[in-house]
Amino acid sequence: MADDPMPDRPSPTGLASPRVRVGLLAAFLLAFDLVLLASVPGPTTALVGSHPTAVAVVVAVAFALSERLVFHIEARNEAVSYSPSDLPLALGLLALSPVAFVGARLAGAAAGMVLWRRPPLFKFAFNLSVFTAESLIAVVLFRSVVAAGSAVTLATWALLSGAMLVGLVTAGALIAVAISFFEGDVVARVRKELTHSYIFYLPGAVLASSTVVPFLIEPWLGLLFLLPAPLVWLVLRSHGALMHRYSDLTDIHEFSRQVGRSTELEEIADTAVRQIADHLRAGTVALTVWDVEGTAVHSCYGNRDALHALPTGPKDPEWADALVATAPLMIQDGDPDGPLQRRLVAAGLGQAIIVPLGDHAGLLGALLVANRHGAVETFTDDDRDRLRPITNQLVVALRKGQLHLQIQHEATHDRLTRLPNRAYFEAWAEQMLEIETERSHAVLMIDLDRFKEVNDTLGHHGGDLLLLQVTDRLLASVASGDMTSRFGGDEFAIFVPGAGEAEASVLAEIVSTAIERPFQLGEATVAVAASIGIAVAPHHGSNCETLLRRADLAMYDAKRRHERSTVYRDDLEGRDSARLTMLADLREALATTSLEVHFQPKIDLRTREISGVEALARWTHPVHGAVSPADFIPLAEQSGLIYELTQQVLDQALAAVRHWSDLGLRIGVAVNLSPQSLIDERLPRMIAASLERARVAPGHLTLEITESTMIGDARRTLRVLESLDQLGVRISVDDFGTGYSSLVNLRHLPISELKIDRSFVADMVLGRSDAVIVKSTIDLGHNLGLTVVAEGVETAEVQDLLRSLGCDLAQGFGLCRPLPLAKLDAWLETSRTFSRTAESGSGAGPSLRPVRHWTAPVAGPDRSG
C-alpha cells in the first residue's frame, strides 16, 4: 500500500514549478535506486524457492492487478491507498533475486498504471521511482540479516514485516515531500507521515508476510493463513468507508464554520472555493453568485480561465439545462458535444461537476469543480454526493450574505426607485467635494409640481408608478458620472461633478423637458412639471449640507416664480424663512377658520339685475395685514393645504346663500377651484356634504375652473366634472382665452358658462382687436348654449359695448368691488339694480328675480383683487 503522488494543478514555470521539482526528485530517486541496487548485500539470487521466471511473472501480474484493486482513504489533500500489492512485495523479497524483483515490480506497476490509472507523465515517472526505492530499501534491510538458503522461521516473518514496513513508510515520506511542492509545508507533512503512517501500513505488511512465509514453509500452511485475508480485506474496506464518512462530516462542519465567519458575499465566495478545492482535491473551482441587484460576483481557485465557462446570468442559454437541474451534474471527457462542453474545453477544463446553487426562493448562482488530483484522478459519484451537503451549506451562507447586502443596500438606497437615498448622496457628494477641490460641482434639487394631486386621486400606487417613470427619465437625462438620488416624497437631487452654473442650467432644462412630457399611468394620462433649484460649489458653498440647503431655497424660488429652474442668490436666505413663517401662519389661520370670504356681484346686462356673486378668499394677517391671494394661494397649493382652503371658502359661500335665501333672496354663488382639485375624486363628495350642511340646492352653486385645469389627466378630469354635473352644480370656464382649451373640450365637457378674461375686456373700447375677440367669444358661447360673463368691467362705455355685443353678465370694479357679507347686504338694500318683489305675495322680504343661467367659479381660491 502507498500514497499517490502529487496533485495535477496549474503551477509556476521553471524551477519554481512543482512539476519540475517532482521531476528532479524522481531523477534523484533514480540515482539513489541505482546506488541501493549496487549495495544489496549477499548473493544476487533468490533467498528461497525455485522457478524464478514463473515467480517473476506471478509477481508482475500481481503488482499490475493491485493497481486495479486499490482503494483509497482520502482526507483533504492526503490519501492512504490500500491494495493487494503487499502480497507480491513479500513474495518477491523472498523468492526473487533483487534485479528480478525490481524488474517485476516496475513492469507490473507500469502496466497497471497504463491500463487503469493513466497518470500524467511526471506522476508516472515519480511513482516508478518511488516504487523502486520502496522495493530496494526493503531488499537491502531484509538481506542484511537473512542469508540465502537460511531456513524460513518466525524470525524471518518478523524481519520481512519490518523491512516491508520501513520501505512503505519511506515511500510515504517521499510522497509527502512531493505533495509539499504543490501544497507547501514540507517539514510538517514529512513529520506527520513518519509519526502516523506506520499505523496504516503495519497491518498490510504483517498480513502479507503472514501469508507468504507459511506458504514457503509448507503450501497448506500458506492456504491456512490466506483464508482470513478476505475478512481482513473487508475489515479494511469497512474501516475506509467509515473514515470516508467521518472525513465528510468533518469537512462539512469545517466548511460551514469557515464560510459562516463572514457576512460579505465576496468573502463567502472566496472562502467557499478554497474550501471546496481542499475537500474535493480539485485543481479548479469557480463560483458565480448574483447579488440583489443582479450583479455577478465571481470567485475562482486554480485555473482562472474557468471564469469564462461560468453562466453570464440566470438566463444563460448555454447553461439552461444545468441551472434547472435538481442535483450536481457530472460532465465527462467525451460527452456529446454541446455549448456548455465547448465552453469547458475552451477554458482548458476536462471532467467537471456543475452544481446549480439555489433554494425555494430562487437561483443564486452556479458552482464548477474541475481538474481533480490525488489518489483518484477523476471525479466519482462519491465526489458528487459529497458536494450535496457542502453546497447546501454554501446556499445558506450565500443567502445570509445576500440578506446582509440587501440590508446594506436598503440602508443607503430608496426602496421604491432603487436610487441612492439622501444619506448615501451626502456621503458620496462630500467625498467628491473633498477630493476634487479645484473643480466646480453643481447640485440640482428637483421637486415635482402637482404630485400630491396624482397621489390623492390615483392613490399611492399611481403615485409610485409616476415616481418610477420620473426616475427612468432622470437617469436617461444625466451622464454616467452624475449621482441621482431620491430624498423622499417627490423630491430628487442630482450631483454633477465638474459642472458650473451654465452646465447645470442646461441639465435643468433637459430634465424639465423630460418630466413635462405626459405620463401614462394605467388608463390615466398625467401631466406634471418640475421646479429645480441649482447651487454650485465652491461659489455657493463648500460642503454638501450648504449646497443642498441653498439649492432647496432656489427650488422654492423657482416654484414661486413658476419657472423651470433658478440658480441660488444670496437674497433667497431671508425669503425662505419668511415663506416658512407665512406657511405656519396660513396653517394656523385655516385651523382657526380666520380666512374671510368677500363677494363680488354679477350683473345681468340686459335686465340690470343681480344674477349671482363670486366668492373670493381673503386673508388678513395679524402682523402683515392683508395678504394678496396671489401670495397665499400658491403657498397653499404647494404645501397641500388647498383642500382645507377650498373647504372653508365653500362652506362660507354656501352659508351666505342660505342667509340670503332666509331673507327671501335667490342669489347663487360661484366658487373658484384650484387646478389640483379637478382631478381629486373626493371633490364631488366634499361639495355634496357642504350643500347638505348649508341646505342649499345644487343649482345655486357654480364652480369656476381655469382652462389650464383641463390639461393633463383628461379622463380623470372628465369623470370628476361628470360627477359634479350629475350632482346638479354648474361649471364655468374662467379666464377664457388665456389658456389652451379647445373646441373639443368645450363641446364634450359639461360646462354652463364662459368667463371672458379681463385682459380682453378692459381695453376693448380702445382696441378693435380686443372687441373682435370678445365678440367672437360671445358668439361661440351662445352657439354652444352657454352663458357668457365678462370680467374686469370698469366703465359704463364697456358695459354698453358688451350689452350691444350680446354679452349676458358682467362683473368688475365698475359695478361693485368684492365686499364682505355684511357690506354686500347693505349694498343690496341701496342698489338700483335690485328689484323688490313679494315672494308668493307674502311680503316676507326682498328677493331677486331668477335668471336663466347660474354660473359657477372655482372652489376657494381667488387670484383677482
Side-chain angles (χ1 to χ4, degrees), residues 828-843:
L828 290 174
E829 288 290 340
T830 59
S831 174
R832 293 181 179 179
T833 60
F834 180 62
S835 174
R836 295 178 179 274
T837 61
E839 211 171 72
S840 302
S842 64

Side-chain angles (χ1 to χ4, degrees), residues 645-796:
L645 178 60
T646 300
Q647 178 78 70
Q648 288 197 19
V649 173
L650 184 64
D651 285 343
Q652 291 189 45
L654 292 177
V657 173
R658 178 73 264 165
H659 162 72
W660 292 319
S661 179
D662 292 341
L663 294 177
L665 304 177
R666 299 184 61 187
I667 301 177
V669 67
V671 179
N672 291 280
L673 286 178
S674 165
Q676 295 182 8
S677 301
L678 201 56
I679 57 173
D680 190 342
E681 293 189 343
R682 299 175 299 171
L683 180 66
R685 293 192 298 272
M686 180 186 77
I687 291 174
S690 295
L691 288 168
E692 185 176 356
R693 283 194 300 270
R695 295 178 292 115
V696 172
H700 287 68
L701 174 63
T702 300
L703 300 174
E704 292 189 0
I705 63 174
T706 59
E707 292 183 83
S708 59
T709 62
M710 295 183 285
I711 302 172
D713 189 350
R715 294 178 182 175
R716 185 169 294 273
T717 298
L718 183 59
R719 285 201 296 269
V720 172
L721 289 175
E722 288 176 344
S723 297
L724 294 173
D725 183 57
Q726 292 172 6
L727 186 61
V729 301
R730 303 302 182 92
I731 307 297
S732 173
V733 178
D734 195 10
D735 300 334
F736 185 78
T738 61
Y740 302 95
S741 61
S742 68
L743 294 179
V744 174
N745 289 332
L746 297 178
R747 185 180 63 183
H748 293 295
L749 295 179
I751 58 178
S752 304
E753 180 181 278
L754 288 183
K755 296 187 72 176
I756 306 173
D757 186 69
R758 68 183 65 247
S759 61
F760 301 110
V761 174
D763 298 326
M764 59 180 295
V765 175
L766 302 176
R768 183 177 182 278
S769 58
D770 286 342
V772 171
I773 293 174
V774 171
K775 171 59 176 174
S776 300
T777 304
I778 294 171
D779 292 342
L780 173 64
H782 288 166
N783 290 335
L784 293 173
L786 306 177
T787 301
V788 180
V789 183
E791 293 184 293
V793 178
E794 306 290 342
T795 64

Side-chain angles (χ1 to χ4, degrees), residues 277-355:
D278 199 24
H279 297 328
L280 265 72
R281 301 170 65 84
T284 299
V285 179
L287 172 66
T288 183
V289 184
W290 300 292
D291 63 16
V292 291
E293 291 295 300
T295 304
V297 175
H298 298 301
S299 185
C300 185
Y301 176 86
N303 181 6
R304 297 196 64 82
D305 289 339
L307 293 174
H308 301 300
L310 292 174
T312 56
K315 303 297 185 181
D316 189 332
E318 296 181 357
W319 273 74
D321 294 336
L323 291 176
V324 298
T326 57
L329 299 179
M330 190 91 74
I331 297 183
Q332 305 281 359
D333 291 331
D335 280 352
D337 188 32
L340 184 53
Q341 284 81 356
R342 288 194 293 270
R343 282 169 72 164
L344 293 175
V345 171
L349 307 175
Q351 187 205 33
I353 301 178
I354 291 172
V355 188

Side-chain angles (χ1 to χ4, degrees), residues 422 425 429-430 433 440-445 495 533-554 568:
R422 183 174 189 133
F425 179 92
E430 201 65 54
L433 291 169
S440 60
H441 307 282
V443 171
L444 280 70
M445 286 295 298
F495 187 95
I534 301 170
V536 178
H539 181 58
H540 299 142
S542 58
N543 58 67
C544 184
E545 180 183 358
T546 302
L547 291 173
L548 285 176
R549 181 171 57 82
R550 292 182 169 177
D552 198 55
L553 293 176
Y568 171 78

Side-chain angles (χ1 to χ4, degrees), residues 156 169 233 287 302 333 384 406 411 608 691 695 782 852:
T156 306
V169 171
W233 187 256
L287 172 66
D333 291 331
R384 183 171 57 184
Q406 183 175 355
R608 299 182 182 273
L691 288 168
R695 295 178 292 115
H782 288 166
R852 292 175 297 134

